[in-house]
């Protein structure tokens, strides 16, 4: 089943509660955290996540684009995340394992993400531990960028690893997703599609979510 995760980075933050209601037919809600260090942009953090948690029952898919994420994963978990995804490039191997285990102990799902320049081999040692892998299909930091089709082979590789090893791990894609690029990602083996500008820019957001899900 294809799942859709609208990214609130493209929402109007002055009316965030209403913006979330407008996409609540989706499967997850994607919450992008940027620190201005790991990526060249700053977005929102823990206090906003706590408010979002109170405003919706949606599954909160929190994407940490921050340096030293293991220092914060438990705090984001306790602030209301359901799934916490952080970048493999941002942590040591030891801290990565500790953070994943800690998330599981807190009853949360754990995911790891790779930037466009990072290969699938960076995820390999952790695959058995993960509930989700996130393949960035743009350079993380901004919404509204163009999809990088050269990321598709990474999705194919991950799908092969997951199926061969019989793992229960979702493959999420993030960046430049619209009905055209979503199709390519699904064909490559992705099952969770993050979309910011495509969904929030649509006149009928629920219809766009249904359309992306049924590709
Ligand atoms: C980018 C973020 C994305 C972003 C996607 O670094 O991780 O989640 O909101 O935006 P679109 O769908 O507009 O490319
Ligand atoms: Zn994201």
């Amino acid at each position: 089943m294809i799942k859709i995760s609208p990214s609130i980075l493209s929402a109007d933050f002055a009316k965030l509660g209403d913006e979330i209601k407008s996409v609540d037919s989706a499967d997850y809600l994607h919450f992008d955290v940027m620190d201005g260090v790991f990526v060249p942009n700053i977005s929102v953090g823990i206090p906003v996540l706590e408010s979002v948690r109170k405003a919706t029952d949606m599954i909160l898919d929190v994407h940490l684009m921050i340096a030293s994420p293991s220092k914060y994963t438990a705090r984001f978990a306790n602030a209301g995340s359901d799934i916490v995804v952080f970048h493999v490039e941002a942590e040591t191997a030891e801290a990565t394992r500790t953070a994943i285990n800690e998330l599981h102990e807190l009853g949360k799902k754990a995911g790891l993400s790779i930037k466009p320049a990072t290969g699938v081999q960076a995820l390999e040692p952790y695959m058995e531990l993960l509930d989700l892998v996130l393949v960035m299909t743009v350079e993380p930091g901004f919404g509204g960028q163009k999809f990088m089709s050269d990321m598709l082979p990474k999705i194919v590789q991950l799908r092969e690893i997951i199926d061969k090893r019989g793992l229960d791990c979702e493959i999420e894609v993030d960046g430049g997703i619209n009905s055209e690029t979503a199709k390519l990602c699904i064909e490559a083996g992705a099952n969770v599609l993050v979309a910011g500008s495509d969904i929030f820019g649509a006149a009928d957001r629920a219809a766009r979510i249904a359309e992306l899900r049924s590709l």
Side-chain angles (χ1 to χ4, degrees), residues 30 32 63 65 174:
H30 191 78
D32 284 304
H63 179 194
M65 288 163 276
D174 183 7

Side-chain angles (χ1 to χ4, degrees), residues 110-154:
L112 276 181
S113 181
I114 48 174
K115 290 205 226 184
T118 306
V120 162
Q121 69 279 0
L123 296 173
E124 286 251 24
Y126 310 104
M127 291 303 296
E128 270 73 13
L129 302 172
L130 297 172
D131 303 291
L132 180 146
V133 284
L134 168 54
V135 176
M136 288 305 302
T137 44
V138 298
E139 278 303 335
F142 300 91
Q145 302 182 76
K146 191 177 176 298
F147 178 80
M148 298 167 75
S149 54
D150 47 343
M151 298 299 116
L152 291 168
K154 293 202 248 182

Side-chain angles (χ1 to χ4, degrees), residues 49-180:
L49 181 61
E50 285 169 345
S51 297
V52 168
R53 178 69 294 163
K54 287 182 204 140
T56 183
D57 291 332
M58 290 180 79
I59 295 171
L60 299 181
D61 160 31
V62 175
H63 179 194
L64 301 181
M65 288 163 276
I66 62 174
S68 304
S70 68
K71 286 187 192 161
Y72 299 97
T73 40
R75 289 181 62 193
F76 277 97
N78 292 327
S81 310
D82 295 291
I83 309 167
V84 178
V85 183
F86 60 99
H87 273 263
V88 73
E89 303 91 350
E91 241 346 318
T92 63
E94 199 190 338
T96 298
R97 282 179 188 279
T98 306
I100 294 168
N101 290 333
E102 195 176 29
L103 286 168
H104 285 153
E105 279 160 22
L106 290 168
K108 308 296 178 177
K109 292 195 169 174
L112 276 181
S113 181
I114 48 174
K115 290 205 226 184
T118 306
V120 162
Q121 69 279 0
L123 296 173
E124 286 251 24
Y126 310 104
M127 291 303 296
E128 270 73 13
L129 302 172
L130 297 172
D131 303 291
L132 180 146
V133 284
L134 168 54
V135 176
M136 288 305 302
T137 44
V138 298
E139 278 303 335
F142 300 91
Q145 302 182 76
K146 191 177 176 298
F147 178 80
M148 298 167 75
S149 54
D150 47 343
M151 298 299 116
L152 291 168
K154 293 202 248 182
I155 303 169
V156 173
Q157 281 176 49
L158 283 164
R159 176 50 61 204
E160 258 177 40
I161 294 171
I162 289 167
D163 289 352
K164 231 184 241 164
R165 300 191 195 170
L167 303 174
D168 186 12
C169 179
E170 302 199 288
I171 303 180
E172 182 174 57
V173 287
D174 183 7
I177 299 298
N178 54 38
S179 45
E180 204 177 293

